[in-house]
Amino acid sequence: MNLLVTGGAGFIGSNFVRFLRRERPDWKVVNLDKLTYAGNAESLPDARDFVHGDIADAKLVERVMRGVDAVVNLAAESHVDRSILGPGVFVETNVGGTQVLLDGARQAGVKRFVQVSTDEVYGSLGPTGKFNENSPLRPSSPYSASKAAADLLALSYAHTFGMDVVVTRCSNNYGPYQFPEKLIPLMIANALEGRRLPVYGDGLQIRDWIHVEDHCRALLAALEKSRAGEVYNVGSDNEWPNLRIVSRLLEILGKPAELIEHVKDRPGHDRRYAIDASKARAELGWAPRIDFSDGLVATVDWYVKNRGWWERVRTGEYRTYYERNYGAR
Ligand code: NAD
Ligand code: DAU
């Protein structure tokens, strides 16, 4: 298999490349990543087959696609709060970049294209019920709207051009190498530095958490076992209010609850997400394996042991790592 992974220097992408090196050691995996603020060359397992570039660069994409059997598109602007401050780049990368990749894949005769999406395309739930693949798309933020647009574009290439495209929609991931702007790594890093933990609004918003390795296993199953033109939800049946997660993190770290500070709510904040992943379980033979309490303790442990990784992110030092390490090549 000759696989193109995009966004492989990000949180899920770097975990996915590492997972594939272990699970499919004979595959050639090319990793295309722009190294935006969220891309970190220090997260890569190695420098093998790394291409530094933009998924919206049609010429580069045409070159990279030659000889590729399948694509897993993880490259994206991924942070909701940033999409509220500046939506433009979300449309450029998440919509425009996905379209360039789809065209490139089509021209190169790529056999399968996995578009990695999110439960946020469905919008927000009330206190009961779960999203299934037929739930209406009601994205609330510029981020989720750009992801919904990309999903629809990808599915249109399946419908119009007969391309083999599959869309996966996963819930909130946690685990190692997550950028410390997202809830769990931000709270761990702040607690370790004795800083306040900013909880938006009342903190009773609910997210459905899944370990990144379980998501990686689902992506591999989607790549190998899914039906063309289909959408698969991925989730772990693991709903938690934000405040409970933050309190649990403080407990694991042995830090005082007084560090919690309620701050202004996120504009348009989705109240609750919950995923029905029964289709992926039935059709892909996939099931999550990592228990949340074990996964959370292991994740805290990773951030404690890899303090240098997130400290270099916070100081900005990580941004020069690529040049320092690979610059001479
Ligand atoms: P991330 O922000 O950690 O990583 C994104 C990566 O994409 C970075 O390495 C960045 O450099 C790269 N990138 C951004 N723009 C690019 C461009 N124009 N060209 C090439 N590379 C570019 O994001 P993540 O959390 O790892 O999410 C990966 C994907 O999974 C995204 O599509 C996201 O929507 C989706 N997703 C994330 C979650 C989650 O909880 N994190 C859940 C469901 C789906
Ligand atoms: O559901 C999948 C999505 O999960 C992915 O598509 C996104 O890429 C990913 O970023 C994530 O989006 P969220 O907005 O749910 O994740 P975030 O970590 O930003 O926030 C999780 C919850 O915690 C959310 O309700 C907002 C809240 N929060 C977040 C931050 C950063 C706080 O209360 N304080 C904070 O400082």
Side-chain angles (χ1 to χ4, degrees), residues 114-289:
V114 179
Q115 172 64 11
V116 181
S117 187
T118 165
D119 59 0
E120 298 204 8
V121 297
Y122 298 120
S124 188
L125 286 167
T128 57
K130 287 174 188 273
F131 298 125
N132 65 42
E133 290 79 359
N134 297 317
S135 301
L137 300 184
R138 288 200 185 109
S140 333
S141 69
Y143 161 69
S144 51
S146 69
K147 293 296 291 184
D151 286 15
L152 295 177
L153 257 180
L155 292 169
S156 82
Y157 275 61
H159 186 79
T160 306
F161 304 118
M163 255 177 87
D164 184 330
V165 173
V166 174
V167 174
T168 61
R169 294 186 180 138
C170 189
S171 62
N172 283 63
N173 285 218
Y174 72 98
Y177 298 102
Q178 186 166 28
F179 198 86
E181 66 183 351
K182 305 285 168 67
L183 181 75
I184 289 180
L186 175 77
M187 298 299 164
I188 298 172
N190 276 17
L192 286 171
E193 288 186 333
R195 293 206 226 170
R196 299 211 164 270
L197 274 49
V199 168
Y200 296 159
D202 61 10
L204 300 180
Q205 306 84 2
I206 290 174
R207 296 293 182 267
D208 192 348
W209 293 93
I210 183 170
H211 194 277
V212 64
E213 194 169 309
D214 281 329
H215 186 193
C216 291
R217 196 172 293 109
L219 293 177
L220 180 59
L223 185 61
E224 294 184 326
K225 299 180 191 160
S226 61
R227 284 184 293 132
E230 292 290 317
V231 176
Y232 295 87
N233 281 353
V234 179
S236 232
D237 291 318
N238 182 41
E239 293 179 51
W240 282 65
N242 294 335
L243 203 51
R244 256 189 76 205
I245 297 228
V246 174
S247 304
R248 179 73 193 116
L249 291 172
L250 287 172
E251 231 172 71
I252 297 171
L253 286 162
K255 301 281 182 183
E258 288 68 40
L259 285 177
I260 294 175
E261 179 178 36
H262 288 267
V263 298
K264 200 165 148 288
D265 208 351
R266 171 185 281 174
H269 202 165
D270 286 336
R271 196 66 182 166
R272 175 172 168 259
Y273 304 144
I275 272 279
D276 173 354
S278 49
K279 181 176 172 184
R281 284 173 183 263
E283 287 192 20
L284 307 180
W286 167 88
R289 292 184 189 168

Side-chain angles (χ1 to χ4, degrees), residues 7 9-13 33-36 38-39 53-55 74-76 78 93 116-118 143 147 170-173 182:
F11 164 47
I12 302 172
D33 196 295
K34 188 178 176 181
L35 296 180
T36 66
D54 193 333
I55 58 165
L74 286 139
S78 70
T93 288
V116 181
S117 187
T118 165
Y143 161 69
K147 293 296 291 184
C170 189
S171 62
N172 283 63
N173 285 218
K182 305 285 168 67

Side-chain angles (χ1 to χ4, degrees), residues 38-51:
N40 188 340
E42 285 191 54
S43 305
L44 297 171
D46 51 54
R48 246 188 301 161
D49 299 315
F50 178 71
V51 181

